[in-house]
Amino acid sequence: MKTGIQATRRLRRATAVTLTTGAVLATGALTAVPAQAVSAPSIVAKGGYAMNNANGSTLFTKKADTRLSTGSTTKIMTAKVVLAQPKLNLDAKVTIQKAYSDYVVKNNASQAHLIVGDKVTVRQLLYGLMLPSGCDAAYALADKFGSGSTRDARVKNFIGKMNSAAKSLGLKNTHFDSFDGIGKGSNYSTPRDLTKIASSAMKNSVFRTIVKTKSYRAKTITKTGSVRTMGTWTNTNTLLGSYKGAIGVKTGSGPQAKYCLVFAATRGSKTVIGTVLASSSVNQRATDATKILNYGFARLG
């Protein structure tokens, strides 16, 4: 009888140990691979950065504070400065000058194909700036919103506003010498700084609407007062069509800049925003950004 009782006790202890071990194993299986343990991706771009847009915490970094040429990602700041103007009237009309057209031809620059003499609204110019990356639209905006008695003075003043905006964001590694990224040797930023500029710009609802738009067709007013329907402006940011939840932001390229992309995507309540600078091709910058976005969301869980 005694032996039977001891056997029963031994069986109970063994069962308890088995159950406890099973519980530990089950719990371990749930926590063995925390989100933070996901391996950081390898990217081709010279520099990269991404952060949680909600609180600014870093999610990915590669030479994030190295100064690099920015190409047309510069236009994020151009748009930000325009949208920050007091009493901004987005429906105000700007007459397209020959100087804007001559400028893009001379520099073989990306353009919105604005037509000299047409009256174009500020809102339309912002779409022409951000979707097809129009340097003619950038010039028109700088001329409109800079102060001065000559076009050169107004443009210089507008670029000064861009640099003031960078300083107000506390950025130490950013400087603009152009309104569109066609710099004169001292137009630079870093992956971290550009991400912060974009995050700040994305607080503006007009900016958010524009940069997530895949295509846009402007109706301008010609010299004779008739309506001209412009050719379709297509967003150069291919992530808008290829990455789930993509909401912006801006491409850039150039001989020095190589291929750049400032990107953002939202999944549920989480937004990852970041930058790749000096990637090797249009496709590669998108691949680099996709890798970083996937990693960012994996870390956020």
Side-chain angles (χ1 to χ4, degrees):
M1 185 72 181
K2 195 172 182 180
T3 306
I5 292 168
Q6 287 172 336
T8 303
R9 284 176 180 161
R10 280 199 299 272
L11 182 60
R12 283 178 183 158
R13 280 199 300 271
T15 303
V17 168
T18 303
L19 289 170
T20 305
T21 305
V24 169
L25 287 171
T27 308
L30 291 172
T31 58
V33 187
Q36 288 78 5
V38 180
S39 296
S42 172
I43 62 169
V44 171
K46 196 174 285 185
Y49 180 78
M51 71 183 192
N52 177 355
N53 197 49
N55 59 17
S57 63
T58 296
L59 296 171
F60 174 87
T61 177
K62 176 186 176 180
K63 295 188 176 177
D65 300 308
T66 299
R67 293 178 178 182
L68 293 165
S69 180
T70 56
S72 284
T73 61
T74 298
K75 290 168 181 151
I76 296 169
M77 184 60 98
T78 309
K80 177 176 160 57
V81 168
V82 170
L83 290 165
Q85 295 304 301
K87 297 179 182 176
L88 177 67
N89 178 8
L90 289 166
D91 297 316
K93 291 182 174 62
V94 177
T95 302
I96 303 306
Q97 306 294 318
K98 187 172 182 291
Y100 314 156
S101 179
D102 290 347
Y103 173 81
V104 291
V105 170
K106 178 186 172 186
N107 290 283
N108 192 26
S110 54
Q111 57 176 306
H113 298 282
L114 299 171
I115 295 166
V116 176
D118 276 13
K119 289 182 170 61
V120 186
T121 68
V122 171
R123 189 191 308 273
Q124 291 167 339
L125 286 172
L126 287 167
Y127 275 95
L129 174 79
M130 300 304 285
L131 272 63
S133 200
C135 295
D136 45 357
Y139 197 165
L141 289 166
D143 192 8
K144 166 75 174 172
F145 292 102
S147 298
S149 56
T150 65
R151 185 174 292 119
D152 285 349
R154 290 191 293 274
V155 166
K156 186 177 180 182
N157 175 265
F158 185 86
I159 295 167
K161 290 181 181 181
M162 293 170 69
N163 285 313
S164 294
K167 279 182 186 166
S168 71
L169 289 172
L171 308 181
K172 302 274 196 288
N173 291 305
T174 295
H175 184 265
F176 300 108
D177 68 2
S178 74
F179 48 75
D180 57 1
I182 302 175
K184 301 170 186 68
S186 58
N187 201 93
Y188 58 81
S189 189
T190 69
R192 191 192 307 269
D193 280 9
L194 264 178
T195 302
K196 288 180 178 178
I197 291 168
S199 179
S200 174
M202 289 290 269
K203 290 175 182 173
N204 183 287
S205 61
V206 175
F207 184 88
R208 286 198 307 275
T209 297
I210 292 171
V211 297
K212 72 179 180 184
T213 301
K214 290 181 185 177
S215 64
Y216 181 88
R217 204 153 197 193
K219 291 183 185 298
T220 61
I221 307 299
T222 68
K223 285 179 187 175
T224 59
S226 62
V227 175
R228 185 197 308 279
T229 302
M230 298 288 290
T232 302
W233 291 331
T234 303
N235 201 317
T236 54
N237 179 7
T238 58
L239 286 190
L240 292 175
S242 67
Y243 194 86
K244 184 183 175 186
I247 56 170
V249 174
K250 183 73 185 75
T251 61
S253 61
Q256 272 187 304
K258 305 303 180 192
Y259 296 89
C260 312
L261 180 58
V262 180
F263 53 87
T266 296
R267 289 189 179 171
S269 60
K270 292 157 186 164
T271 297
V272 174
I273 188 164
T275 300
V276 288
L277 293 179
S279 194
S280 59
S281 69
V282 167
N283 289 337
Q284 189 59 53
R285 71 183 172 195
T287 299
D288 287 345
T290 297
K291 284 181 179 180
I292 295 171
L293 282 165
N294 288 341
Y295 176 66
F297 284 118
R299 284 198 60 185
L300 290 176

